[in-house]
Amino acid sequence: MRLDPIDQRIIALLQDDARSSYAEIGAQVALSAPAVKRRVDRLRSSGVIRGYTALIDPGAVGWTTEAFVELFCTGRTSPEQLRAAAKRHPAVVGAYTISGEADALVHLRAVDMAGLEQALERLRAEPFVTSTRSMIVLSRLVETLAPRVVERPGTGGAPVTS
């Protein structure tokens, strides 16, 4: 889907505060509230906007320990096998297939080091996991859910991320 500069601005405003009213957004992009609603509906129906959610501070709810774990797997472990395994483990908050030596990278969160160790042991018990390499997060420096959508100058409104 081609995003014009107004669509890009609407997306950026929703990324800043998804609870903004159509009228508030309209005031920022020089459109009426119904025009903004039509654009948001179109962005949702085309899959650009997948939904809205509350952002929770993991530390505020007790999830203060986190790690990234490289998974090394047997021969032909498929991304679907990795996805299914990740979904079985509640401490997994992200899972990715990656290039390099490891086959996958898993992001774990737990209430403490003992919980992290338990989650790691359960992950290691998956039949296709041959070994792991863990990196404990000391501090989060930057965390965003999605890159910002901005217009690239000279592209006629083609979006890029920043």
Side-chain angles (χ1 to χ4, degrees):
M1 176 180 171
R2 187 159 177 82
L3 301 177
D4 67 21
I6 294 173
D7 289 334
Q8 294 169 22
R9 184 74 179 122
I10 290 170
I11 291 167
L13 290 166
L14 287 171
Q15 285 179 300
D16 287 339
D17 183 1
R19 293 181 53 173
S20 297
S21 71
Y22 296 132
E24 290 169 334
I25 294 170
Q28 295 287 319
V29 299
L31 290 176
S32 68
V36 171
K37 181 186 182 317
R38 283 191 300 274
R39 284 179 177 255
V40 170
D41 288 346
R42 181 176 45 82
L43 291 166
R44 286 196 65 168
S45 67
S46 66
V48 172
I49 296 175
R50 297 185 311 179
Y52 304 92
T53 189
L55 299 177
I56 307 299
D57 177 356
V61 294
W63 293 82
T64 58
T65 307
E66 61 187 308
F68 287 91
V69 180
E70 292 178 324
L71 299 181
F72 298 84
C73 303
T74 57
R76 295 194 179 268
T77 302
S78 71
E80 188 50 48
Q81 287 173 290
L82 292 164
R83 179 181 296 111
K87 288 183 174 187
R88 284 193 292 273
H89 300 280
V92 173
V93 296
Y96 317 90
T97 55
I98 59 174
S99 63
E101 292 180 34
D103 297 292
L105 182 68
V106 176
H107 185 191
L108 299 176
R109 282 204 176 119
V111 296
D112 57 20
M113 198 58 77
L116 187 62
E117 184 176 18
Q118 290 172 354
L120 185 55
E121 289 305 318
R122 286 192 296 271
L123 203 52
R124 286 180 178 151
E126 290 290 339
F128 55 81
V129 174
T130 59
S131 66
T132 62
R133 183 170 37 217
S134 303
M135 293 148 284
I136 305 295
V137 174
L138 300 176
S139 62
R140 275 187 264 141
L141 303 175
V142 176
E143 183 175 55
T144 61
L145 292 180
R148 307 304 270 161
V149 176
V150 296
E151 179 183 350
R152 182 184 324 164
T155 62
V160 296
T161 56
S162 67

